Amino acid sequence: MTHVEMWALSGFEGSYDAWSFGSDADALAQLVLKGVKTATASLRYAYELENCDLPKAGQYSVVQDAGEEAVCIIRTTKVYCTPFCEVTADHAWKEGEGDRSLSWWRKVHEAFFSEELRTAGMSFDPGMDVVCEEFELVFSV
């Protein structure tokens, strides 16, 4: 099902974004469906590089799998920016990945962000701002 078809089926009105999680889109979308994953994080720099607005509370997103098939719809409930080195254990737990610890989160996200920055000719710095986003699952088929 496409994101357009899922949005129409949901009965929601207004605008939405459609995207996939960056590292393992299929597994992470399944964590959202199971209610385990209720947060995500991205580099603020990525929004600036692409000249995109930061997400806002109340916005809807259709989460897609690696094949760009719609999996579910989420609604953003909270957005804040913080340096990578100040992301909390609570946020790491809400991301629902690995063993859900802050040390696991930092290890995996530093590697992911480092690769993302390398392709832009930059290097990782633990003081870089991270956009932390919390959300709730509002529709699935």
Side-chain angles (χ1 to χ4, degrees):
M1 167 181 317
T2 69
H3 64 86
V4 173
E5 292 167 334
M6 179 170 275
W7 186 253
L9 186 61
S10 74
F12 294 128
E13 296 181 358
S15 62
Y16 67 93
D17 292 318
W19 47 267
S20 303
F21 289 104
S23 59
D24 186 352
D26 294 342
L28 297 178
Q30 289 304 307
L31 288 176
V32 174
L33 284 176
K34 293 175 183 173
V36 174
K37 183 171 184 60
T38 61
T40 192
S42 51
L43 286 175
R44 184 179 191 137
Y45 170 78
Y47 289 93
E48 294 166 358
L49 182 67
E50 296 177 15
N51 199 27
C52 293
D53 293 332
L54 296 179
K56 294 179 180 68
Q59 288 181 321
Y60 290 90
S61 296
V62 177
V63 176
Q64 300 173 309
D65 64 18
E68 296 187 356
E69 290 292 315
V71 175
C72 62
I73 300 175
I74 59 172
R75 186 178 67 83
T76 301
T77 57
K78 181 178 180 180
V79 179
Y80 61 96
C81 293
T82 191
F84 177 90
C85 59
E86 293 180 20
V87 170
T88 65
D90 182 56
H91 183 83
W93 179 263
K94 289 176 181 176
E95 286 217 26
E97 302 169 42
D99 67 5
R100 300 180 84 172
S101 69
L102 181 57
S103 61
W104 190 94
W105 185 93
R106 284 187 175 153
K107 177 183 168 190
V108 169
H109 283 77
E110 180 175 341
F112 179 78
F113 293 154
S114 292
E115 180 59 24
E116 186 176 38
L117 289 163
R118 188 185 63 75
T119 62
M122 298 178 66
S123 20
F124 177 78
D125 176 341
M128 294 181 121
D129 273 347
V130 173
V131 179
C132 295
E133 183 177 354
E134 297 179 20
F135 53 82
E136 61 184 350
L137 174 65
V138 294
F139 184 81
S140 63
V141 180

